[in-house]
Amino acid sequence: MMRSLWTAASGMIGQQFHIDTISHNLSNVNTTGFKQVRAEFQDLIYQTIRTAGTPATEWTVVPTGVQVGHGVKAAATQRMFTQGSLQATGNVFDVAIQGEGFFRVMLIDGTFGYTRDGSFKIDSSAQLLNSNGYRVMPEIIMPEGFRRDTLTITQDGRVTVKIAGSDDPIQIGQLEIYRFINPAGLNAIGENIFKVTNASGDPIAGRPAHDGMGSLIHKFLEMSNVSVVQEMVNMIVAQRAYEFNSRAIQTSDSMLGIAAGLKR
């Protein structure tokens, strides 16, 4: 009887973890470039009371065994890198990736981070940065006297602009994007940034819209790929599963109470 208490308790812990994951997704439904996280579970170790294949008679074996499970555990949180919807912003420094790839930024410690968030800005030195002040790599620096409204970023990442007094656009840089063999293995560190791990593999640099890389869409941002409807359905399922496990604990407690009261 005690086994059922602990088994149901593991189910409640698992569903609480599921709700935590869903809450995180819903809280980031408006986060630029956010990717949905999916909770995955595994069953726990089994107690084998009788092994399948055990000899039953001289000519036959037991066709099925007897095993009792001990509940569930969280196995992984998989990040789903499906394309988010594109939203027009009209901001000349905004750019979205349509397809596979990440922008690279240099972090404060000199290492590189990777992001799908293309809401870029410039600082007092006219250098292209992300919202946290991290430099976009390769570096893009606006020339002196550039006309903001003439800034153009092509699908293949060429950055051009016109300078005051001239009608001829000049190319001032080339944006690169980076892809990974296993993007789900990237380590999310917050601020819409991921870092490389052994699981993700090394970044593969490339020119946008070439060799399997995604293309760039100027004056657009990629929004979160979280589906509110799907997350609400998942929340209802997780809540009901939590209630069922709670009811299993109450039922086990009642059965223990009945067993303890047999002497009376």
Side-chain angles (χ1 to χ4, degrees):
M1 203 72 67
M2 291 300 297
R3 182 191 295 119
S4 63
L5 290 172
W6 291 108
T7 299
S10 75
M12 294 181 70
I13 294 170
Q15 295 308 319
Q16 179 60 61
F17 179 79
H18 196 187
I19 288 290
D20 292 341
T21 304
I22 294 168
S23 299
H24 178 64
N25 287 337
L26 289 172
S27 66
N28 284 281
V29 71
N30 289 320
T31 301
T32 305
F34 179 81
K35 298 303 177 185
Q36 175 199 9
V37 180
R38 182 181 70 192
E40 299 178 352
F41 299 92
Q42 290 179 347
D43 49 355
L44 291 176
I45 191 170
Y46 287 82
Q47 178 184 356
T48 301
I49 298 174
R50 184 175 66 178
T51 304
T54 301
T57 67
E58 185 177 352
W59 302 280
T60 62
V61 296
V62 175
T64 59
V66 178
Q67 288 186 306
V68 181
H70 286 76
V72 66
K73 68 174 181 179
T77 50
Q78 168 123 357
R79 197 170 294 272
M80 313 303 291
F81 282 94
T82 55
Q83 180 74 43
S85 60
L86 300 182
Q87 178 176 308
T89 65
N91 188 335
V92 295
F93 297 116
D94 288 344
V95 58
I97 300 175
Q98 187 172 41
E100 191 173 354
F102 296 82
F103 297 109
R104 173 187 269 183
V105 295
M106 179 175 286
L107 305 179
I108 194 169
D109 60 357
T111 61
F112 294 121
Y114 299 86
T115 180
R116 296 277 296 191
D117 182 359
S119 56
F120 300 137
K121 286 89 178 170
I122 59 172
D123 62 4
S124 58
S125 301
Q127 185 168 355
L128 197 65
L129 311 170
N130 79 345
S131 299
N132 295 100
Y134 303 143
R135 288 181 291 170
V136 178
M137 306 301 290
E139 290 182 326
I140 304 291
I141 300 177
M142 305 297 155
E144 185 176 353
F146 80 99
R147 291 158 52 189
R148 180 186 297 259
D149 60 327
T150 64
L151 178 67
T152 301
I153 301 175
T154 63
Q155 288 191 350
D156 61 355
R158 288 178 288 121
V159 183
T160 62
V161 72
K162 294 180 182 179
I163 299 176
S166 174
D167 289 330
D168 296 325
I170 59 172
Q171 182 170 336
I172 60 173
Q174 170 71 52
L175 286 175
E176 291 183 349
I177 58 176
Y178 301 79
R179 62 186 178 91
F180 296 87
I181 297 299
N182 176 32
L186 290 168
N187 180 35
I189 63 172
E191 300 180 339
N192 293 350
I193 292 175
F194 300 92
K195 295 198 73 171
V196 175
T197 68
N198 291 333
S200 67
D202 294 328
I204 303 169
R207 186 176 177 184
H210 290 79
D211 301 324
M213 296 290 186
S215 58
L216 302 186
I217 311 296
H218 188 211
K219 298 182 181 180
F220 278 77
L221 287 177
E222 181 190 13
M223 304 309 294
S224 168
N225 67 348
V226 173
S227 168
V228 174
V229 173
Q230 178 184 344
E231 296 301 323
M232 293 301 294
V233 170
N234 291 341
M235 182 182 295
I236 293 171
V237 172
Q239 180 183 3
R240 294 307 179 199
Y242 189 91
E243 291 176 0
F244 295 151
N245 281 283
S246 173
R247 184 61 59 86
I249 289 177
Q250 294 174 9
T251 302
S252 297
D253 178 58
S254 297
M255 296 173 69
L256 283 173
I258 294 171
L262 287 176
K263 185 176 180 181
R264 295 195 301 271

